[in-house]
Amino acid sequence: MKTFAITGATGTQGGTLAHLLLDRGHPVRALTRSVDAPAAQALKARGAEIAYADFADPASLTTAFQGVDSVFLMTTPFGTDVETEIRHGSATIDAAARAGVGHIVFSSVAHADRATGVPHFDSKYAVERHLVASGLDWTILGPAKFMDNFTTGYAARMLAAGDFALPLAADRSIALICAADIAGLAALALTEPERLSGKRIDIAGEETTPLRMAEAFTAAVGHEVTFQATPAEQSRAWGEDLYKMFRYFDTVGLDVDVTALRREYPEVGWHTFADWLATRTW
């Protein structure tokens, strides 16, 4: 059987994919800088091979990719910066090429190829271009806004208080996706590369609006949740990158052809926002 190396294996995207592949009996090599972390040990207990790898250490990546057939790659500028993200992503692709990896599935972001001016969209597109030019077989997935971000931190505390706020108009349509659906299509790309090799696909489970999201939250959490459109300038407190992202969402929009995805890849089991809410404990 093919062995799949998963970067970000102790995080939400990579971890969800690693567990899904293990559920299906596939050999998984989970790459992490923290081999003793609880999330890494949970994967090890399920049969995953845990391998040390650091994006800033190309030699560790080359070693971790030895004997691997395909790689799931995800990158982030948060915690560093966009230049570092580009450098890390490019170094990982180069290391995979040196190790003889056959196929890379890269998790980018929806609309990254549309010159959005959003810094972390543009940095991911730079990694996309490096991958396409690498000579490796590739698949690029462009996830929309993450549903899973509502379950932790400030967003979760607001929901507990009955508040839901975003710097978006109440009726602004926005595409959403959950980690399970990203993992579902990534697993398909890894296990059936002939279906998705050479494709760049923006992905979402549903397009909805903040007002309809508040209604879905109300039904799911058991108390009224009210949406409040916050001033765009308020999002500057989250950093210039996220400010520009929300401005793009509100002025241009984030659209994905959800109908085509469900028709082309029904085995993913795409989640609407209400579907995803039903999988959570509130």
Side-chain angles (χ1 to χ4, degrees):
M1 296 183 70
K2 292 182 178 180
T3 296
F4 303 122
I6 311 299
T7 69
T10 57
T12 300
Q13 274 195 74
T16 302
L17 174 59
H19 281 286
L20 178 61
L21 290 169
L22 290 168
D23 288 343
R24 297 177 180 179
H26 295 289
V28 169
R29 185 175 298 171
L31 275 55
T32 178
R33 290 181 300 173
S34 305
V35 295
D36 295 322
Q41 292 304 303
L43 287 167
K44 183 177 181 180
R46 296 203 56 207
E49 177 187 358
I50 308 301
Y52 171 79
D54 186 338
F55 284 149
D57 179 3
S60 74
L61 294 167
T62 303
T63 299
F65 290 147
Q66 293 298 322
V68 165
D69 295 284
S70 300
V71 170
F72 173 77
L73 171 62
M74 58 159 294
T75 60
T76 179
F78 301 112
T80 55
D81 51 54
V82 292
E83 289 78 13
T84 301
E85 178 180 27
I86 295 168
R87 186 167 63 252
H88 285 175
S90 299
T92 305
I93 292 163
D94 294 343
R98 288 194 299 272
V101 169
H103 183 211
I104 290 184
V105 177
F106 176 49
S107 181
S108 179
V109 66
H111 291 207
D113 57 344
R114 301 193 191 185
T116 64
V118 179
H120 77 275
F121 286 36
D122 293 345
S123 57
K124 284 181 173 56
Y125 189 49
V127 177
E128 290 186 29
R129 294 197 302 272
H130 191 86
L131 176 57
V132 171
S134 70
L136 295 169
D137 286 340
W138 55 269
T139 303
I140 296 168
L141 307 181
K145 182 172 173 54
F146 291 178
M147 299 178 190
D148 302 75
N149 287 348
F150 294 113
T151 63
T152 59
Y154 178 66
R157 293 193 296 273
M158 287 184 65
L159 288 171
D163 298 321
F164 172 46
L166 288 173
L168 300 175
D171 59 352
R172 162 52 76 183
S173 180
I174 186 166
L176 303 173
I177 194 164
C178 63
D181 289 352
I182 301 172
L185 192 57
L188 189 63
L190 290 167
T191 58
E192 299 183 37
E194 66 281 357
R195 285 184 64 182
L196 288 97
S197 182
K199 293 185 178 181
R200 188 198 184 282
I201 310 169
D202 281 348
I203 57 175
E206 183 181 27
E207 282 193 37
T208 187
T209 66
L211 187 59
R212 292 201 297 269
M213 291 168 68
E215 294 168 352
F217 274 130
T218 295
V221 304
H223 60 255
E224 186 174 2
V225 173
T226 302
F227 174 70
Q228 176 66 47
T230 58
E233 287 298 316
Q234 186 170 318
S235 63
R236 284 192 186 274
W238 307 333
E240 192 68 13
D241 196 323
L242 293 182
Y243 166 76
K244 289 183 176 179
M245 180 187 74
F246 278 107
R247 289 300 296 150
Y248 179 81
F249 288 170
D250 200 37
T251 59
V252 179
L254 186 66
D255 65 287
V256 174
D257 192 343
V258 175
T259 301
L261 289 170
R262 291 176 179 272
R263 181 178 63 247
E264 188 72 18
Y265 310 108
E267 57 268 70
V268 171
W270 304 95
H271 292 72
T272 65
F273 191 58
D275 293 337
W276 172 77
L277 287 170
T279 71
R280 316 302 301 182
T281 299
W282 297 93

